Each structure stands twice: as C-alpha cells, then as structure tokens.
C-alpha cells in the first residue's frame, strides 16, 4: 500500500493505482474525458490535471500518473481550474454546439463539464469540422464532427471487444476517428463504443431522437437473451422500452453488453406482440377473453388429471425461476405428470446428466469469475464467443491483459482463434468426445494424472484405445494440450451448450469433466469446467427441475408421444419447437396430431400458430422475478413497463390455472421465491431483497468422479459435406428475430461454406443454395469464407424461414449436399 | 336603521355620474403591454418551424402541459413531429420561452382563449404555427 494526501485527506491505495484512482477511493471527483476504468490509461484530454507538491511547476494528469509514497496532491486550485477551462474552450472550438438535437445531451461529459466549469465564452475562433455523417448504418450513427478525440471507442473496440474497427486517421487538425479505409462501419455491433463515447459522436441509431436521457425511467434488470446473465439498465418512457442505458458499474462485465443485449430490446414493444388471448374456433384462431381461454385450458387439464400420462408440458428457459417453479409444481404436483421438459431435452443434458454424473450437481463447478482467474482456458468450439459474447470479452481481456493461455478445440475457426497466443486444434465435426478421450489418454500416458480419483481404473480401461487419429487431429497436438492443461496451475474448460449444439450433451460434459478431474483441475478457483447454458435462465430451469425426473417423457419423447397419440394435451410455455427442435417436419406433424395444444408466448410463433389456445405472455421487461445465469448467479429481474395489451405474465397464467385445478395459489411472485428458497437446497437462505443489484452465486458441493464417455464413431458420407449447426453472434434462440437490431445485421438464415467447397460448387457469397440431407431440403443464402474448414458447412438455427431444423434430426453432424438453387 | 341604507344608495348613485374606473371590455380593448404572456406561438424561419424538438420546454414546464415528439426529416434533422400544449393546464409562466435554446416559441398578446369544448384547448402544432 502507498500512502498519500489528496486535498488534505490521507489515503492508502495499491501501488499500481493512479492519482485518479486514489482520489476516487477517498471520494474526491477529478473530472475526466478520455479515461475509463476498464481501459488502459491514455492521457489524451488533460481534463484531469492536478498539482503535486513534489512535482511543482507543472500540472500532472491524474489518470496516468501512478501514486508514490508521500505524494501531496491538490485537485482544485485556481490554476488547475484555469487549465481545465482552457481544455474545454479548446474542445468547444471545434465541437458543434448541437446539444438541442444531440441525443447525448444530459448524459454528455463535455456538456456537464462545460456547465460545471462555467465555460460560457471562448477566447478563440475557428471553423467547425465538416465531416460527413454516417446516417446509413442501421445501429450506430457516427457524427465525427462532435468527436473530441478521446480515443475511447477505438480502445474499447480493441482492448475489450478485440474487433479493432476504429483508429485515428490523418494528422494534426485533420485527425479523425476513422474506420477501415474510412468506409462504413461493419463490425460486431456490440455498441461498446457507443456506450463509452463521452459525447454524442457515436449514437444508437434505433434510439435516435426517441427521448431525452433525463426523461427515461431507468430500471436495473438482467438481459433476457443468453445465459451470461449480463445486467443491464432499461430506459423506458410511456410504457415503452426505448433503449438500454450504459452503467459502467453494473455486473462483472462493467456494463459491457453484446449486440443482442444492447440493440435487441425492441422485441418488447414490437408490433407483432400478442395482445389478447386466441382460441381456435372453426379451425381459426380468434380473439377471446382471458376467462374463455383459461376456462378452455382448465377444463382440458382437469379432464386430463385422471390420465396424467396423457398430459405433457414444455417450458422455455427464458421464464423466471418463480414461473418455472410454479410450472413444475402445477404439472408435476397438481396434475401429476412427469412429462415436463425444456430446451428440446438435449440442450440441458450436459448439466442434468453430465454434471450430475461427474460432479454430483446439476450445475457448473466453475463460475464466471473463474475465467479471469485461470492460467489456461480450454474452449470447446470457437462458437463460445458467438453463444456468449460477453464471456468472450472476459476471455479477450484475460488473454490480452493477464496473459492467460488460450487453447481452442473446434470444428471451425472463429474470433477466439485469432486472439494473441491462441492455439486452435481444428478437428473433424462431431469428434469432441473422441478428442477429450484422447486428451485423457495422453494425460495418463504422460504420467500427469492425479492419483486416487474415483473411477480412474474404469476411465483407464475406457480410453485405452482412444487415439488422436480417431479424433482426427495429430498426436503431437493432443500430447501438447494434455501436457499444458495438466501442468497449468489453474486450467478451466469452457463448454457452451444449447439447442444449436446437439453434440454438446451429457457424454461430452463427462468427457470434458474427466480431463479436468484427471488433472486435478477441479475444486479450486480459476479451474474446472464452466458449462454455459444457452438461455438467460437455462441454469434456473435445471435448478427448478424442469426435466423428467422419473419415468416421464423428455422433450423428444413428448414430440413422439404427440405423434403417436399417447400425449393428448400439450402445454407449451414459450418454447418454439417447430423452429428450434430437430426435424421440423416431424415436429409439425406431431403438433398437428396432438388433440389439444396451449401455447403461451409473446408472439404468434410458428408453434403458437398451430395451437388451440394461445395465451399472450409478457417479456422480461414487464415482470419481476429472478434469473440464474451460467456459473450459478441468481439475479433480480425488475419490471420496467406495464404489460402490453392484455398480456399476462406466465406467473399470472400458471397461478390462475393452479388455483382453478385445486393447486397452490400465490399472492405475488415473491412468495414463490420464498418457497424456492425453502425447497430448492441450493437456493437456501436467498431472498429477492437480499440479492440486491449484484445477485448471489449459490455454492455447490462437488463430489468429482471420472465417468467413461463413449465416443461415437463419426460416419462421414462420401461426397457429402458435414453440416454443423450453432448460434450466430447476433441471435439467441428464436426470440431475437423479433428485435429490430439483430435483424438489421443478420436477417436471414445462411449456410457458411469454405472457399474451396464454394468454388467446387460454383457458389458465391450471397447466392441462394439448397442444402439437402436425408431429412429434407432447405433454401438459404450462402456465405463463403475461410472460417469453416473444407468439407464443413455451418448454419445457425434461429430462423423460421429456411430453418435449419428442416434438414437436421438431432445428430451431432448432418451430412448434406449443397447445390446452387 | 334607514340612515345607513340611504347613505349606501347615495354612494351608489353618485358613481353613476362619475367616469368608470374599470376597462369596458369587450367594447373597450385593453392596451396589451410588451412582455405580456398570452397564447403561445411557434416561430417560423425559412418556412419551417424553428423548433428542433429539444424537449427543454416540456422538461421545464411546471404544469407539464407540453407534449413534444421528435421526428427525423429527410435531411436527418430533428424536428417536432408533434408539438402540443394543453392550454387548460398552462399557467402562462413563460418558462418554455425562456428555456428554448433556438428561440422557437414565443408568447403572443392573445388572451381571449375561451372555448366550447375541452378538446379545443389542445393547441396542436398547426394551431400554434398559424399565427406567424
Ligand atoms: S460496435 Fe463494438 S465492434 Fe463495432 S466498432 Fe463499436 S465497439 Fe467495435
Ligand atoms: S467518437 Fe466518441 S469515443 Fe470515439 S474518439 Fe470521438 S469522442 Fe471519443
Ligand atoms: S445476450 Fe448474453 S452476452 Fe449478450 S448482453 Fe445478453 S446476457 Fe450478455
Ligand atoms: S407558459 Fe409555463 S405552464 Fe405554460 S406551457 Fe410554458 S412553461 Fe408550461
Ligand atoms: S424548447 Fe424550443 S426547440 Fe426545444 S422543444 Fe421547446 S420549442 Fe422546441
Ligand atoms: S482523463 Fe486524464 S488525460 Fe483525459
């Protein structure tokens, strides 16, 4: 610790702190423009000038000057104020005084400082900039005339996002923040640059002119897309969510969001939202009252109570814990059926079966904070960036700032594979388990296995014939990764799961867990296995037990049951099996066949359109409750706006049904949480109020055990391409299709081909292609690049038109032929 | 008993022959002084309302009677797609005029604002613009 005096106050800080940090620590505010706590110090604006007794004679920038023992600092003297005023005058010389029409007004550092320092005249005169303004971009409007050259956008895009879209171009007075060849911005659209821009040079286009910053009601909540569980602040006005507001103090991610969280909120107030219940009459869905709709559902469910096996229910892991708990209680308890499931059944098995077998808990042993505490990250699939972009930022930061080693085993390349020092092992599609088995074998052969772990002999026998060749990679690579992983002080495996990744199942979770357990990389901070659930509450759905526990049917069996008539009543809360479950034709047939189907959803999805009763549900912005993110953090979701139209939350719907069927009734969702805390062991002692803004990570008690994982032999078909599915960066599940932001950037289903394959097929970027498998054929747009290796096609699963589940059937890899339309 | 009555009548009758002290509205019109705060008007320049929909007047208005909705015109500039004052709630304080950074709103000398229905007291952008 270093001791110093700031404005007469004694303060002790870490030795790597700057004067700015020290002042902040003792509550003294030094004005800044170019500094950001997340970024490396830059020292470009000179707004933070202070006086240091020991360095008299000149003013010192507080944001770049490290503290030294005994420093005596003055932060406001007449001379300093004069200097800061000069800085502002010089900035205002070029800055257009656009405040009345600038969306940053009210939240603009330059405006606030100008006001604070009473800069109401300027000693200098000059012409303003006359840069062309980029109005074309659908998400980010760039007006470089307002830029004050703080460099934050370029730094955040480089340091944290690792995209590098911006750099200063030209020199002297002509210098400007430019893009590649000064062309249009075409990046990840995470909006990080917009959020840190201290002025209105970078603005959110969807929010343009929508409201003034000070008129927005700010509600702290949690993103409802992926399992990362980023905290965000919703800005709403007149019952509409208009934007997400940046708050650098929110969450582990310091307010950083990905494109979905930042620009994907429009689904909340979409015109396509369902506003009234629909009931099928004479074959057509027609508007009905809640009483009519619920009466129909109640009658049906009450009648089915005598034969509970004929009732099945699917829930989306986007619901809150409270809703999911009530869902489980209603169907499992009141109605008495175990036929309940979520996420197509397979997308949660890595947790519900894999982690349970390997660690004795249905959760990841690691948490998000472990990413940055690790020494080596082993990422399964480069897609981990696309599925959980903000975890991707954590990886970027860890690799670049802390020198964490990054190893990726993947069937394609991607953003992570380009990070400095990253080593990527590209294997043949579907060989993940074989690869982990080969790694385990190599660990054992190299004598790096820890002795005495449970199940060692069984594993030794099981991996006896595992070889690198079987995984389609070189023996040296396997040996090298095994050695590095085992000898790293702390090594963490990152495994994304989800409906796009049928191969990331229980077996792969076991295989990955084996490596961690075998090398002793469990039960300590910065090590272990981080299983990343796909949706905002994937972990919560597992914790609330939304999967068959006994003899009940899982999601796939429920679909089969609908097809063969064993399941007569299907209750679907928010899932969209028609698009997101494998084999669309089969699902459609099954849902057509089922006698009675109820769907509660925000939109008339492909599935809802087939239902007998459609109940309009509300989005995360219209309800309160909790979500549990990957890494087991339970967080508060808060209501920002009233429900749209007549829509009701799933809590209200389930609560009414539960009461009507003779089950429990709650006065509010908070009571359900109290019951969760009392009956779900992991949530013991938690209260919604106690979660506060930061949430709480619930603890797990691990009992690690090696579980042999059988690798399936991949059977490549001659002359066919291997289709692997997954997530696109801009989308998550099928809900992001209703947000304008994601749809501006990534509107259509596509198939990504390698350049060589594309050349052989005479397909060019943007061509319509037909992809045919044994299951069906689908038309999508071709994307050509070098990211996927030869022989592999990648296609994201989110889209209704050209949905990839038309041609998949739940296998890890689907062999397809591609032809130009 | 009768005396005070007669006294009172005396005063009344004497006033019938004096010059009236009040303004004989509506036959006589008041002489409106500069700075009078009457009905609002939106200023026009180059055939367009000057208002840039900065929302400062609705923010400052103590009666919360101004509704502004911004729009983006063909040149990507901000303009008031909607500008409405609910004259029933306005307290004619003139803060809106003071707050406006672009001199887009002023208060006219018009004070005769009586009307027949509530709706007629909603002054839309068109009505406020009419008086150049
Ligand atoms: S939106 Fe994100 S990726 Fe694009 S330039 Fe800004 S920070 Fe970089
Ligand atoms: S665009 Fe904004 S963040 Fe980037 S340099 Fe200019 S002022 Fe700074
Ligand atoms: S989609 Fe996931 S990574 Fe992106 S902001 Fe939301 S929670 Fe964070
Ligand atoms: S005069 Fe006062 S009360 Fe009336 S609209 Fe203006 S600010 Fe509001
Ligand atoms: S303050 Fe002036 S420019 Fe701003 S909204 Fe009101 S009238 Fe328009
Ligand atoms: S904030 Fe210190 S130089 Fe800009």
């Amino acid at each position: 610790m270093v001791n110093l005096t700031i404005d007469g106050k004694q303060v002790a800080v870490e030795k790597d702190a700057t004067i700015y940090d020290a002042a902040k620590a003792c509550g003294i505010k030094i004005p800044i423009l170019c500094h950001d706590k997340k970024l490396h110090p830059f020292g470009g604006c000179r707004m933070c000038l202070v006086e240091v007794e020991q360095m008299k004679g000149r003013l010192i920038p507080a944001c770049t000057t490290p503290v030294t023992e005994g420093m005596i600092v003055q932060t406001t003297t007449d001379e300093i104020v004069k200097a800061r005023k000069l800085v502002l005058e010089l900035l205002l010389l070029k800055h257009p005084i656009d405040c009345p029409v600038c969306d940053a007004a009210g939240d603009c550092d330059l405006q606030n400082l100008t006001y604070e320092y009473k800069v109401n005249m300027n000693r200098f005169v000059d012409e303003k900039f006359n840069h062309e303004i980029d109005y074309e971009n659908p998400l980010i409007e760039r007006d470089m005339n307002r830029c004050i050259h703080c460099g934050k956008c370029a730094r955040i895009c480089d340091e944290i996002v690792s995209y590098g879209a911006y750099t200063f171009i030209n020199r002297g007075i002509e210098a400007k923040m430019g893009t590649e060849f000064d062309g249009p911005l075409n990046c990840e659209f995470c909006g990080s640059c917009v959020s840190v821009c201290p002025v209105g040079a970078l603005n959110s286009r969807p929010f343009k002119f929508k409201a003034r910053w000070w008129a927005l009601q700010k509600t702290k909540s949690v993103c409802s897309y992926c399992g990362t569980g980023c905290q965000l602040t919703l800005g709403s006005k007149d019952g509409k969510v208009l934007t997400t507001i940046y708050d650098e103090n929110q969450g582990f991610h310091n307010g950083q969001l990905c494109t979905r969280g930042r620009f994907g909120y429009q689904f909340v107030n979409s015109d396509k939202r369902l506003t009234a219940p629909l009931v099928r009459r004479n074959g057509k869905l027609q508007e009905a009252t809640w009483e009519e709709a619920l009466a129909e559902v109640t009658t049906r469910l009450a009648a089915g109570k005598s034969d509970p096996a004929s009732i099945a229910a699917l829930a989306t892991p986007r619901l809150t814990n409270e809703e999911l708990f009530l869902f489980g209680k209603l169907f499992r308890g009141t109605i008495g059926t175990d036929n309940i499931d979520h996420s197509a059944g397979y997308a949660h098995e890595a947790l519900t079966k894999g982690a349970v077998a390997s660690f004795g808990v249905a959760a990841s042993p690691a948490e998000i904070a472990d990413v940055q505490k690790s020494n080596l990250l082993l990422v399964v699939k480069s897609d981990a960036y696309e599925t959980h972009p903000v975890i991707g930022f954590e990886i970027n930061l860890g690799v670049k700032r802390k020198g964490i080693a990054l190893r990726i085993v993947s069937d394609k390349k991607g953003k992570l594979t380009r990070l400095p020092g990253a080593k990527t092992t590209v294997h043949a599609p579907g060989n993940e388990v074989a690869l982990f088995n080969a790694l385990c074998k190599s660990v054992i052969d190299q004598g790096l296995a820890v002795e005495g772990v449970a199940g060692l002999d069984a594993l030794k026998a099981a991996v006896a014939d595992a070889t690198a060749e079987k995984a389609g990679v070189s023996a040296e690579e396997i040996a090298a990764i095994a050695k590095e992983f085992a000898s790293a002080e702390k090594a963490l495996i990152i495994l994304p799961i989800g409906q796009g990744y049928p191969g990331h199942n229980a077996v792969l979770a076991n295989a990955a867990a084996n490596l961690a357990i075998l090398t002793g990389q469990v039960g300590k901070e910065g090590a272990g296995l981080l299983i990343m659930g796909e949706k905002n509450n994937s972990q919560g759905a597992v914790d609330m037990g939304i999967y068959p526990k006994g003899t009940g049917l899982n999601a796939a069996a429920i679909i089969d049951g609908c097809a063969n008539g064993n399941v007569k009543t299907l209750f679907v809360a928010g899932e969209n099996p028609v698009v997101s479950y494998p084999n669309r034709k089969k699902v459609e047939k099954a849902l057509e066949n089922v006698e009675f189907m109820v769907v509660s959803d925000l939109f008339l999805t492909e599935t809802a359109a087939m239902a007998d009763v459609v109940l309009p549900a509300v989005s995360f912005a219209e309800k309160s409750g909790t979500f549990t993110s990957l890494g087991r953090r339970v967080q508060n979701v808060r209501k920002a706006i009233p429900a749209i139209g007549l829509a009701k939350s799933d809590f209200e719907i389930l609560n009414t049904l539960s009461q009507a069927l003779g089950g429990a009734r709650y006065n509010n969702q908070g009571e359900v949480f109290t019951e969760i805390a009392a009956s779900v062991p992991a949530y013991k002692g938690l209260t919604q109020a106690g979660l506060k803004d930061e949430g709480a990570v619930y603890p797990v008690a691990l009992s690690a055990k090696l579980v042999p994982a059988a690798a399936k032999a991949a059977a490549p078909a001659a002359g066919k391409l291997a289709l692997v599915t997954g997530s696109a960066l801009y989308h998550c599940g099928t809900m992001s299709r209703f947000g304008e932001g994601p749809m501006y950037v990534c509107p259509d289903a596509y198939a990504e081909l390698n350049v060589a394959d594309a050349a052989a097929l005479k397909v060019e970027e943007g061509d319509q292609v037909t992809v045919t498998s044994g299951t069906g054929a689908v038309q999508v747009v071709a994307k050509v690049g070098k990211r996927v290796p030869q022989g592999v096609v990648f296609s994201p699963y989110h889209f209704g038109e050209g949905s990839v589940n038309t041609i998949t059937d739940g296998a890890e890899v689907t062999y397809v032929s591609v032809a130009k339309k | 008993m009768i005396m005070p009555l007669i006294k009172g009548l005396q005063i009344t009758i004497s006033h019938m022959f004096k010059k009236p002290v009040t303004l004989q509205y509506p036959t006589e019109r008041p002489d409106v002084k500069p700075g009078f705060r009457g009905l609002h008007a939106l200023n026009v320049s180059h055939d367009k309302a000057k208002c840039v929909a900065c929302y400062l007047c609705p923010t400052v208005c103590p009666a919360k009677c101004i509704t502004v909705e911004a729009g983006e015109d063909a040149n990507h500039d901000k303009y008031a797609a909607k500008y409405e004052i609910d004259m029933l709630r306005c307290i004619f304080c003139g803060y809106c005029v003071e707050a406006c950074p672009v001199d887009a709103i002023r208060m006219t000398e018009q004070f005769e604002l009586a009307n027949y229905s509530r709706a007629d007291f909603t002054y839309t952008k068109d009505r406020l613009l009419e008086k150049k």
Side-chain angles (χ1 to χ4, degrees):
Chain A
M1 294 302 256
V2 176
N3 298 293
L4 65 161
T5 316
I6 304 178
D7 289 349
K9 275 194 200 173
Q10 297 286 337
V11 56
V13 288
E14 297 288 335
K15 71 170 190 294
D16 59 354
T18 59
I19 299 178
Y20 174 77
D21 300 331
K24 199 170 161 192
C26 64
I28 294 170
K29 205 180 135 240
I30 297 178
I32 49 169
L33 278 172
C34 72
H35 186 64
D36 189 295
K37 67 171 187 181
K38 299 193 291 294
L39 302 174
H40 289 307
F42 183 61
C45 74
R46 305 280 132 169
M47 194 61 211
C48 62
L49 292 175
V50 293
E51 199 177 281
V52 177
E53 190 70 37
Q54 289 85 340
M55 298 186 234
K56 266 275 167 72
R58 64 191 172 105
L59 297 175
I60 312 285
C63 70
T64 51
T65 313
V67 290
T68 54
E69 187 64 39
M71 239 182 192
I72 300 171
V73 183
Q74 290 295 331
T75 67
T76 22
T77 62
D78 289 349
E79 197 196 343
I80 293 171
V81 171
K82 225 173 109 192
R84 288 184 187 154
K85 267 187 151 168
L86 178 65
V87 167
L88 290 168
E89 272 179 81
L90 290 171
L91 285 174
L92 293 170
L93 194 54
K94 284 288 185 188
H95 190 86
I97 311 299
D98 262 352
C99 308
V101 294
C102 174
D103 278 335
D107 187 30
C108 170
D109 293 351
L110 183 63
Q111 191 186 46
N112 292 344
L113 288 169
T114 301
Y115 189 75
E116 190 181 331
Y117 282 84
K118 305 192 184 67
V119 185
N120 39 24
M121 44 87 100
N122 208 327
R123 278 169 269 174
F124 315 100
V125 272
D126 197 3
E127 277 169 32
K128 302 283 177 191
F129 290 126
N130 193 13
H131 298 306
E132 210 176 305
I133 302 171
D134 177 3
Y135 292 118
E136 301 313 314
N137 195 300
L139 294 174
I140 298 174
E141 185 165 299
R142 293 190 312 125
D143 181 349
M144 286 306 116
N145 300 310
R146 294 181 185 152
C147 172
I148 58 161
H149 297 182
C150 72
K152 279 207 239 175
C153 52
R155 285 182 288 142
I156 202 156
C157 191
D158 173 32
E159 291 176 31
I160 298 182
V161 185
S162 283
Y163 187 86
Y166 300 121
T167 179
F168 280 116
I169 55 174
N170 301 337
R171 316 202 59 176
I173 201 74
E174 319 248 275
K176 92 171 195 191
M177 188 47 80
T179 50
E180 204 178 354
F181 299 107
D182 212 6
L185 187 64
N186 188 7
C187 61
E188 287 177 17
F189 297 110
C190 64
S192 301
C193 50
V194 179
S195 59
V196 294
C197 181
V199 292
L202 299 174
N203 278 319
S204 158
R205 175 108 195 133
F207 178 56
K208 190 177 179 187
F209 301 158
K210 284 271 169 25
R212 291 313 229 166
W213 187 83
W214 58 81
L216 292 172
Q217 180 193 326
K218 290 135 191 129
T219 314
K220 288 187 178 184
S221 197
V222 179
C223 175
S224 74
Y225 281 113
C226 84
T228 309
C230 298
Q231 296 182 7
L232 45 74
T233 305
L234 293 172
S236 58
K237 194 180 157 229
D238 304 332
K240 278 191 177 161
V241 172
L242 296 177
T243 188
T244 46
I245 295 170
Y246 172 62
D247 174 356
E248 63 166 9
N249 296 320
Q250 262 190 311
F252 71 90
H253 47 100
N254 297 310
Q256 286 286 112
L257 298 175
C258 78
T259 178
R260 316 186 288 234
R262 176 89 53 209
F263 292 118
Y265 55 84
Q266 299 95 337
F267 74 92
V268 172
N269 293 102
S270 160
D271 305 336
K272 297 191 189 123
R273 281 284 300 272
L274 289 169
T275 52
L278 305 172
V279 171
R280 193 171 294 277
R281 292 189 185 112
N282 308 323
K284 263 206 182 127
L285 282 173
Q286 288 173 348
E287 283 201 5
T289 63
W290 271 104
E291 289 72 31
E292 288 167 343
L294 285 179
E296 202 148 319
V297 179
T298 317
T299 324
R300 205 47 225 208
L301 291 177
K305 255 171 116 173
S306 55
D307 179 17
S310 72
I311 297 183
L314 297 169
T316 172
R318 293 210 190 280
L319 303 187
T320 62
N321 285 324
E322 293 74 9
E323 289 166 341
L324 290 166
F325 183 83
L326 189 50
F327 182 90
K329 194 162 164 164
L330 171 66
F331 287 99
R332 194 168 273 142
T334 311
I335 294 173
T337 177
D338 193 31
N339 300 337
I340 64 174
D341 207 351
H342 73 276
S343 290
Y346 60 78
H348 59 71
E349 284 192 352
L351 291 165
T352 52
K353 290 194 181 146
V356 168
S358 294
F359 301 109
V361 287
S364 298
E367 53 175 294
I368 295 175
D370 288 320
V371 174
Q372 296 251 16
K373 290 180 189 154
S374 183
N375 299 113
L376 181 135
L377 299 173
L378 177 61
V379 179
V380 186
K381 284 226 171 72
S382 59
D383 302 44
Y385 189 84
E386 277 89 346
T387 56
H388 299 80
V390 172
I391 301 278
F393 295 167
E394 291 293 293
I395 300 177
N396 292 343
L397 279 172
V399 169
K400 296 203 293 191
R401 292 236 174 113
K402 307 213 164 128
I404 298 174
L406 179 61
R407 300 291 169 263
I408 299 144
V409 290
S410 179
D411 51 16
K412 61 183 111 29
K413 291 196 179 141
K415 169 132 179 216
L416 291 177
T417 62
R418 295 195 300 269
L419 285 180
K423 282 196 200 138
T424 312
T425 303
V426 177
H427 59 77
N431 275 346
E432 291 85 358
V433 178
L435 191 139
F436 272 99
N437 282 348
L439 285 172
C440 287
K441 169 107 165 61
S442 177
V443 167
I444 296 168
D445 289 350
Q446 294 183 63
L448 296 165
V450 291
E451 287 305 318
V453 278
L456 184 57
D457 294 332
L459 184 78
K460 273 187 183 161
V463 299
D465 60 349
T467 56
E469 290 78 66
K470 280 195 188 155
V473 290
S474 77
E476 295 78 49
E477 263 179 290
I478 290 291
I481 301 176
K483 181 146 187 238
E484 280 176 301
F485 191 87
S487 44
E489 193 191 324
K490 291 172 281 181
L492 176 68
I493 303 173
I494 294 182
L495 173 68
I497 57 175
Q499 283 170 308
Y501 302 93
H504 291 201
N505 49 17
V507 184
L508 181 58
N510 291 142
N514 287 345
L515 178 64
I517 298 168
L518 195 61
T519 50
Q521 301 284 12
V522 278
K524 56 183 177 186
E525 146 175 299
L529 173 62
L530 185 64
I531 300 173
M532 307 202 295
E534 182 184 23
K535 308 268 168 70
N536 52 323
N537 203 19
S538 287
Q539 182 65 53
V542 170
D543 296 339
M544 298 305 126
I546 307 303
Y547 53 95
K549 293 260 174 87
T551 52
L553 307 175
N554 68 6
I558 289 173
I559 296 294
D560 290 340
C562 292
N564 64 27
N566 288 342
V567 171
K568 297 199 169 61
T569 304
L570 180 64
F571 191 101
V572 182
E575 283 273 85
N576 188 5
V578 172
V579 176
S580 65
Y581 285 23
N583 201 338
R584 181 166 181 159
K585 270 238 169 62
K586 184 173 121 189
V587 175
E588 279 174 336
K589 264 225 178 92
L591 299 186
E592 257 163 41
N593 192 47
V594 70
E595 268 178 33
F596 187 78
M597 174 162 72
V598 197
V599 175
S600 70
D601 207 314
L602 274 60
F603 301 99
L604 195 67
T605 58
E606 291 78 358
T607 304
M610 300 177 71
D612 297 287
V613 175
V614 182
L615 306 173
V618 303
S619 70
F620 78 115
E622 299 146 71
K623 65 187 173 193
S624 295
T626 56
F627 290 158
T628 307
S629 63
L630 68 98
R632 320 185 305 272
R633 186 179 289 275
V634 190
Q635 307 188 99
N636 272 322
V637 179
R638 299 191 184 92
K639 181 171 173 164
I641 56 166
I644 306 277
L646 297 176
K648 284 186 200 284
S649 71
D650 286 273
F651 165 75
E652 291 171 280
I653 297 172
L654 294 166
N655 200 22
T656 315
L657 289 175
S658 170
Q659 189 185 14
L661 292 164
R665 183 186 170 276
Y666 300 85
N667 291 317
N668 53 55
Q669 53 83 25
E671 285 181 9
V672 187
F673 193 82
T674 314
E675 193 172 325
I676 294 173
S679 56
V680 180
Y683 289 63
K684 196 163 171 248
L686 296 181
T687 59
Q688 280 184 342
L691 293 176
K692 300 214 189 85
D693 284 347
E694 31 325 328
V697 176
Y698 67 75
V700 282
L702 305 178
S703 62
K705 186 173 153 237
L706 295 167
V707 181
K712 267 195 217 158
K720 297 255 168 134
L721 298 175
L723 171 79
V724 287
T725 58
S727 283
L729 178 60
Y730 310 99
H731 289 280
C732 177
T734 60
M735 187 176 73
S736 49
R737 293 180 296 155
F738 297 95
E740 287 159 39
M743 292 309 270
Y744 279 134
V745 199
C746 181
D748 296 310
Y750 61 85
E752 195 174 343
L753 293 158
N754 181 276
V755 270
D757 291 329
L761 296 163
K762 300 203 170 48
V763 170
E764 276 170 36
E765 174 96 19
D767 282 351
Q768 283 281 339
V769 290
T770 310
V771 186
T772 318
S773 76
T775 312
V778 72
Q779 267 186 25
V780 288
V781 180
K783 235 174 121 165
V784 179
K786 291 183 176 153
R787 197 175 78 100
V788 294
Q790 217 173 328
V792 178
V793 199
F794 167 77
S795 187
Y797 84 93
H798 322 279
F799 303 93
E801 290 273 309
S803 68
V804 73
N805 69 340
T806 318
I807 51 173
T808 60
D809 197 12
E812 288 91 334
V813 188
T814 309
Y815 291 92
V816 296
S817 49
V818 178
K820 203 163 157 177
K821 182 190 157 190
Chain B
M1 180 73 186
I2 193 106
M3 280 317 284
L5 201 71
I6 292 173
K7 231 179 181 170
L9 268 176
Q10 231 170 25
I11 295 173
T12 311
I13 292 165
S14 76
H15 274 278
M16 289 173 79
F17 304 100
K18 282 187 189 158
K19 256 182 91 187
V21 285
T22 52
L23 185 72
Q24 298 306 291
Y25 180 80
T27 40
E28 246 180 84
R29 310 294 303 174
D31 168 26
V32 178
K33 294 285 184 295
F36 178 79
R37 301 199 296 264
L39 179 67
H40 307 68
L42 288 173
N43 291 337
V44 172
S45 152
H46 297 91
D47 291 329
K48 268 188 359 205
K50 283 172 87 177
C51 170
V52 293
C54 73
Y55 289 81
L56 287 186
C57 53
T59 305
V60 78
C61 175
K64 294 279 162 275
C65 63
I66 310 180
T67 315
V68 180
E69 264 171 36
E72 188 176 356
D73 68 14
N75 295 326
H76 304 284
D77 288 331
K78 200 177 184 187
Y79 77 104
K82 178 174 175 188
Y83 191 101
E84 239 172 61
I85 302 181
D86 179 355
M87 230 33 98
L88 282 176
R89 292 175 64 185
C90 176
I91 56 165
F92 298 91
C93 62
Y95 281 10
C96 45
V97 178
E98 242 179 275
C100 183
V102 294
D103 186 28
I105 189 162
R106 74 193 142 95
M107 291 177 105
T108 62
E109 301 184 342
Q110 199 179 332
F111 58 87
E112 288 158 305
L113 302 174
N115 231 321
Y116 290 98
S117 75
R118 279 178 175 276
D120 291 335
F121 289 94
T122 304
Y123 281 75
T124 57
K125 190 174 175 187
D126 279 349
R127 287 177 77 190
L128 292 166
L129 271 176
E130 273 163 18
K131 307 167 289 325
K132 297 264 154 81

